Amino acid sequence: MEDDRGIFTLDSDTVASNPGSVRIMPFVLMRYMHKSVLLLIPLLASLVIACEVSLLWGGLSSVIFFVINYLYWRRKREHFAYGDSKGGIVVSENPKLIAVATDLSKGFAGSYPVIKIVPYKGKGMLNERIGTVALYEGTSSCTPHWNDFFPVPVEYVNSNKAELNAVLRSYSEESWEILENRIKQISRPYKEGLIKISAENSSW
């Protein structure tokens, strides 16, 4: 059910410390996230069936695939509008990887600092700062921290330079320093995955 913010596909009980507020550009998203294009194919096919073969079966499948597409795009919109926006740094060019830092704490007990290394297919060069928006994953509301988080570069859904720069300006210099310090603690070559940080008075 929707909450007061219009959230339908995400957990409405949590609020990001720095909401993404990023506008989705459909053709930019389709360029980077091919699943969005693949989901359109059965919808279009079912519409053809409804018009040319069987109105009943084609109409029924059209409704089903329309709902699937609607939920997909609704989730993407909510991800980048309400997800947690974090700064990332390009740490490798071959393969292209970015590093993003966060605290997995749910806010009521301890500190669980981590850094996440994820693949990158954007235009940023080595050591360049980029914006991301992340969703968090957890198994129980009783645990003091999330299990993982999944940052996605904002350039995957928006190509407007002014809006991308606005995202970068939302990050404090302190947050960049924290990220850079955590990157220094990671051994090379960098590998994809979640890395727990044992320093910084962490609760790990």
Side-chain angles (χ1 to χ4, degrees):
M1 181 177 294
E2 285 190 21
D3 73 350
D4 293 338
R5 292 170 292 169
I7 294 178
F8 179 70
T9 66
L10 304 181
D11 178 5
S12 59
D13 293 331
T14 59
V15 179
S17 57
N18 182 28
S21 301
V22 175
R23 179 171 59 99
I24 294 285
M25 295 180 175
F27 290 108
V28 176
L29 186 150
M30 287 189 285
R31 186 190 316 157
Y32 286 100
M33 302 180 188
H34 298 152
K35 182 179 180 180
S36 60
V37 179
L38 294 177
L39 286 176
L40 286 173
I41 295 175
L43 174 59
L44 295 175
S46 62
L47 290 173
V48 171
I49 293 173
C51 294
E52 302 293 336
V53 181
S54 170
L55 181 60
L56 174 62
W57 293 109
L60 179 61
S61 59
S62 295
V63 171
I64 293 172
F65 289 119
F66 174 82
V67 171
I68 292 172
N69 276 271
Y70 171 79
L71 292 175
Y72 174 85
W73 285 94
R74 178 79 180 251
R75 183 171 177 82
K76 291 302 179 186
R77 183 181 68 80
E78 293 181 0
H79 175 157
F80 287 91
Y82 304 110
D84 194 23
S85 190
K86 297 289 184 182
I89 293 179
V90 182
V91 294
S92 172
E93 287 190 314
N94 187 24
K96 295 192 79 173
L97 301 170
I98 59 171
V100 184
T102 195
D103 189 330
L104 292 180
S105 171
K106 292 183 178 178
F108 55 82
S111 176
Y112 300 88
V114 295
I115 193 166
K116 186 77 174 279
I117 305 292
V118 296
Y120 176 60
K121 48 189 177 183
K123 298 178 180 179
M125 307 299 289
L126 186 64
N127 298 322
E128 187 171 337
R129 294 176 174 183
I130 66 169
T132 77
V133 179
L135 295 180
Y136 291 68
E137 178 184 82
T139 56
S140 171
S141 59
C142 298
T143 58
H145 64 82
W146 302 100
N147 293 338
D148 204 347
F149 80 117
F150 304 92
V152 180
V154 295
E155 65 190 286
Y156 287 8
V157 299
N158 189 307
S159 60
N160 184 284
K161 290 186 178 181
E163 295 181 43
L164 296 179
N165 288 334
V167 172
L168 291 176
R169 288 195 299 271
S170 74
Y171 309 135
S172 67
E173 274 306 314
E174 180 184 8
S175 69
W176 289 117
E177 291 173 4
I178 290 173
L179 174 56
E180 290 166 355
N181 288 333
R182 290 184 189 175
I183 290 173
K184 293 176 183 177
Q185 299 179 48
I186 303 173
S187 58
R188 301 191 185 192
Y190 299 116
K191 296 181 180 180
E192 297 176 31
L194 184 73
I195 303 167
K196 298 177 181 179
I197 304 298
S198 57
E200 304 179 20
N201 298 316
S202 74
S203 303
W204 291 117

